């Protein structure tokens, strides 16, 4: 634990729930996103303002990234990819608030996200190509197919590990650095670190979401 006091962990101990602080804060992020979606959509206007304007900007940005990375076919997977992006972004940002813990600073949360990407990539691949999807693992030369297959399997297994550790390392590392500065110099000096934390949160959200798009786009492509 890097925060000296966590609000939801205290609530968890008081209510004897025992699910883990990362689960409590993941639930909190989900409730926050549901509330934000409700606020943005309860009175939709032709000329957006307030929460609707914010959410339309975010949604448009994600749509543009999907189209540029995956092509028009990728829009079918917009709900899943947008959910990843929004959940990770909000999870990263709440860690900057005293008393709140980012779920993405825990290996369990990140592993769950990465494994979801891993499973859905291959589910989408088989849905798109059927059994022919296995050609993605064989390479262009039949004689080298057994060797290429092993290399491809190792590469695909490494993907969730890479996604998990990259997000965990950056978010947990920032948590530790921020708390060290807060303990040493509690006034003013931590402010630049918190601003850097916003940048880290945005970059890590972008990297995770972009890699998920690239993996799914690869599954949608025809094998060569």
């Amino acid at each position: 634990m890097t925060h000296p006091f966590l609000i939801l962990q205290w609530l968890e101990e008081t209510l004897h729930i025992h699910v883990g602080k990362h689960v409590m804060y993941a639930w909190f992020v989900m409730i926050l996103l549901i509330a934000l979606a409700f606020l943005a959509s309860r009175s939709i206007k032709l000329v957006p303002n307030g929460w609707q304007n914010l959410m339309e900007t975010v949604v448009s940005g994600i749509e543009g990234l999907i189209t540029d990375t995956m092509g028009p076919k990728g829009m079918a997977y917009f709900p899943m990819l947008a959910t990843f992006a929004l959940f990770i972004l909000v999870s990263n940002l709440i860690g900057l608030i005293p008393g709140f813990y980012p779920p993405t600073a825990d290996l369990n949360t990140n592993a769950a996200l990465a494994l979801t990407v891993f499973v859905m990539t291959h589910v989408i691949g088989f849905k798109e190509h059927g059994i022919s999807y296995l050609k993605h693992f064989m390479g262009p030369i039949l004689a080298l197919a057994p060797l290429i297959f092993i290399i491809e399997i190792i590469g695909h297994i490494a993907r969730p590990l890479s996604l998990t550790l990259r997000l965990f390392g950056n978010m947990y590392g920032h948590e530790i650095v921020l708390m060290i500065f807060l303990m040493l110099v509690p006034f003013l000096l931590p402010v630049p670190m918190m601003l850097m934390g916003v940048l880290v949160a945005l970059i890590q959200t972008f990297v995770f979401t972009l890699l998920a798009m690239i993996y799914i786009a690869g599954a949608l492509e025809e094998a060569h």
Side-chain angles (χ1 to χ4, degrees), residues 28 31 52 57 88 136 157 174 177 182 184 190 204 207:
F28 173 77
I31 292 171
Q52 182 186 345
T57 302
I88 293 171
H136 283 74
I157 291 175
H174 179 263
V177 171
L182 283 172
L184 293 176
Q204 290 308 309
V207 170

Side-chain angles (χ1 to χ4, degrees), residues 102-181:
T104 44
D106 189 282
L107 274 173
N108 295 290
T109 304
N110 299 338
L113 294 170
L115 287 173
T116 302
V117 172
F118 176 77
V119 171
M120 289 306 301
T121 297
H122 299 299
V123 168
I124 291 168
F126 279 109
K127 177 184 176 183
E128 182 73 16
H129 306 290
I131 197 65
S132 298
Y133 176 62
L134 293 175
K135 292 180 181 178
H136 283 74
F137 301 87
M138 300 300 182
I141 303 174
L142 186 61
L144 295 177
L147 177 61
I148 298 298
F149 182 81
I150 294 172
I151 295 173
E152 287 287 339
I153 291 296
I154 294 173
H156 280 263
I157 291 175
R159 287 179 178 181
L161 183 63
S162 172
L163 286 174
T164 300
L165 295 180
R166 181 185 294 106
L167 185 56
F168 167 74
N170 282 278
M171 297 313 302
Y172 188 73
H174 179 263
E175 281 285 288
I176 292 176
V177 171
L178 181 59
M179 290 311 301
I180 289 173
F181 275 106

